[in-house]
Amino acid sequence: MKNTLKFLSILFLSILMFSMKQDKPTKVIFFGDSITQAGIGPGGYITKMKEMLEKQGIKSKYQLIGAGIGGNKVYDLFLRIEDDVLAQNPDVVVIYIGVNDVWHKTSHGTGTDADKFTGFYNAIIKKLQSKGIKVICCTPAVIGERTDNSNAQDGDLNYYSGLIRTIASKYDCPLVDLRKEFISYNLKNNPQNKESGILTTDRVHLNDTGNQFVADLMMKAILK
C-alpha cells in the first residue's frame, strides 16, 4: 500500500511538473544594438511581433524580450551576455549584430576586424548552446539602400554577412538573412536608387515598413 501511494505521489508530481512546463511561454531574447533597442518601442519590430502573436491568438505562448543597446558591437554582446541574456534563462536568443562592427570603422575609426568578429560571435553561440538555448543568427541589413553597390560599406557588409552565414551553418543555427532580403526588397521597390526612405529612416535604422519587414522575417524563424 505504501509503495502504491508513493508511486501515485511521484506520478502526480511528474504530471504537475510536465503541465507547468507545457504552460510556460517560450522566452525569446533579441540580442543586438540600437536597431533592436528601438524594436521594443512604439512601431518597433519586436512590438509588431507581439501584435502579430496577439492577432494569431498565441501571444501567451511567447515572451519576447529586447536586449539591444545603441552602438553595440559583437564584443559588447559577449561582455554583457551573462547579465542581459543568461540571467533571464531564455529558450531562444536571436543575435542581430554587425552593423556597428562595419560602420564604426569609418564613422568612428573603430569597428571590429573580421577575425575578432568571428571569434566573439563563435564564443557567444558556444555560451548559449552550452545552456541548451536555441540560437538564431541574423545578417546585418544595410548601411545605405542604394541598389547599384555604391553604398560605402556594401563590400564589408557583404563580407561580414558571409561570415555569419558560415558561422550559422557551422553551429546548425537558423539564419534570418536580412542582408539578402533587404537587397532583394530594394531592387524591387527602390527604382530611384535612394540611399534611405525605403526600409530605413537614415540608411540604417528602420522605418515603419522596415520594422514590419523585419518582424515578418523574424516571426517565420521564431515559429518554425
Side-chain angles (χ1 to χ4, degrees), residues 42-178:
Y45 77 88
I46 298 171
T47 301
K48 287 182 179 292
M49 289 178 72
K50 291 179 180 179
E51 293 168 354
M52 292 164 72
L53 289 171
E54 187 168 15
K55 286 180 181 178
Q56 294 180 41
I58 54 174
K59 184 180 179 181
S60 63
K61 293 185 178 181
Y62 294 88
Q63 181 182 2
L64 308 185
I65 300 170
I69 295 180
N72 267 199
K73 305 178 187 70
V74 69
Y75 55 81
D76 295 302
L77 266 56
F78 179 79
L79 292 174
R80 64 185 180 89
I81 191 171
E82 295 287 344
D83 292 338
D84 291 359
V85 177
L86 295 179
Q88 300 195 63
N89 297 311
D91 300 294
V92 181
V93 172
V94 180
I95 304 173
Y96 184 2
I97 200 70
V99 166
N100 293 323
D101 298 274
V102 170
W103 196 12
H104 287 187
K105 287 182 179 182
T106 53
S107 65
H108 294 73
T110 56
T112 311
D113 293 336
D115 58 339
K116 291 181 180 178
F117 182 84
T118 300
F120 278 111
Y121 209 113
N122 285 335
I124 290 169
I125 292 178
K126 286 178 181 178
K127 267 185 173 289
L128 295 171
Q129 290 187 338
S130 71
K131 303 293 185 182
I133 298 166
K134 178 181 177 179
V135 180
I136 297 174
C137 300
C138 302
T139 53
V142 290
I143 305 174
E145 297 190 74
R146 290 177 180 145
T147 58
D148 59 355
N149 297 310
S150 64
N151 304 294
Q153 283 84 22
D154 276 347
D156 263 357
L157 272 183
N158 290 334
Y159 183 62
Y160 280 59
S161 293
L163 294 176
I164 293 172
R165 293 180 190 116
T166 299
I167 293 169
S169 177
K170 176 181 177 181
Y171 291 99
D172 198 25
C173 299
L175 176 71
V176 180
D177 201 339
L178 296 174

Side-chain angles (χ1 to χ4, degrees), residues 147 186-194 198:
T147 58
N186 270 280
L187 284 170
K188 295 176 183 176
N189 297 280
N190 188 9
Q192 296 179 322
N193 201 35
K194 296 179 180 178
I198 309 303

